[in-house]
Amino acid sequence: MKCPFCKNDNDRVIETRTSDDGFTIRRRRACHCGRRFTTYERIEVVNVRVVKRDGSRVPFDRNKVRRGVERACWKRSISESQISELVAALETSLEGETEVSTQTIGKMTMDLLKRLDDVAYVRFASVYYRFESVDDFATALKRMINEKTNERQRNG
């Protein structure tokens, strides 16, 4: 690993930690120039092609999903580790797939968000379903309230 300061590749690992998602390794390194820096190693789990709405195919990008989830969870009491776990759970559920549509990824993400936070779910759904009016929000909220009521009745 090259030092970002002196560009020398003679460094040593001081500390190694696994992140919350279980797929990333964080390493603290010390270079002979006296500076320290952090590197991240990511285990590549998913090698999936995403079929977009226009029919084009692109490699699955966990960062795109993460950014969408982070926007949905903005100013909510949801930790970074919970977001990482959600993205890791999505990646795990995609294992073995070769191609998956953006609609499938969106629905899977919404299912995971629904379990995590109702507001984040509605925010994500508003982008996914392309809400254009308050009526669209009201319809989604009514559907969610009915599902929760039915679930309580089954469990209660």
Side-chain angles (χ1 to χ4, degrees), residues 96-126:
E97 298 290 331
T98 55
E99 286 189 345
V100 64
S101 69
T102 54
Q103 291 85 359
T104 301
I105 292 172
K107 287 179 182 173
M108 292 168 75
T109 304
M110 283 192 302
D111 288 343
L112 293 167
L113 274 171
K114 189 185 283 188
R115 292 183 220 142
L116 185 63
D117 185 82
D118 291 338
V119 173
Y121 163 76
V122 171
R123 286 177 177 170
F124 191 90
S126 72

Side-chain angles (χ1 to χ4, degrees), residues 60-78:
F60 176 78
D61 184 358
R62 76 181 315 275
N63 292 322
K64 276 187 177 181
V65 173
R66 185 178 181 88
R67 282 191 303 272
V69 170
E70 284 173 342
R71 274 187 240 126
C73 295
W74 186 63
K75 290 198 175 183
R76 301 293 301 156
S77 59
I78 299 169

Side-chain angles (χ1 to χ4, degrees), residues 23-134:
F23 295 103
T24 307
I25 298 169
R26 176 184 177 268
R27 297 190 196 278
R28 288 290 295 158
R29 298 175 179 269
C31 182
H32 78 283
C33 71
R35 305 284 298 265
R36 292 181 179 204
F37 59 99
T38 303
T39 60
Y40 294 91
E41 292 179 31
R42 174 124 186 93
I43 299 168
E44 191 171 30
V45 176
V46 179
N47 192 14
V48 176
R49 307 280 305 164
V50 177
V51 181
K52 297 174 80 171
R53 290 178 196 232
D54 65 3
S56 63
R57 287 164 170 72
V58 296
F60 176 78
D61 184 358
R62 76 181 315 275
N63 292 322
K64 276 187 177 181
V65 173
R66 185 178 181 88
R67 282 191 303 272
V69 170
E70 284 173 342
R71 274 187 240 126
C73 295
W74 186 63
K75 290 198 175 183
R76 301 293 301 156
S77 59
I78 299 169
S79 69
E80 287 293 319
S81 66
Q82 287 175 301
I83 292 172
S84 294
E85 288 171 15
L86 185 144
V87 174
L90 177 68
E91 279 184 307
T92 301
S93 64
L94 293 176
E95 282 182 19
E97 298 290 331
T98 55
E99 286 189 345
V100 64
S101 69
T102 54
Q103 291 85 359
T104 301
I105 292 172
K107 287 179 182 173
M108 292 168 75
T109 304
M110 283 192 302
D111 288 343
L112 293 167
L113 274 171
K114 189 185 283 188
R115 292 183 220 142
L116 185 63
D117 185 82
D118 291 338
V119 173
Y121 163 76
V122 171
R123 286 177 177 170
F124 191 90
S126 72
V127 174
Y128 176 76
Y129 289 121
R130 299 178 180 179
F131 289 177
E132 294 182 11
S133 69
V134 173

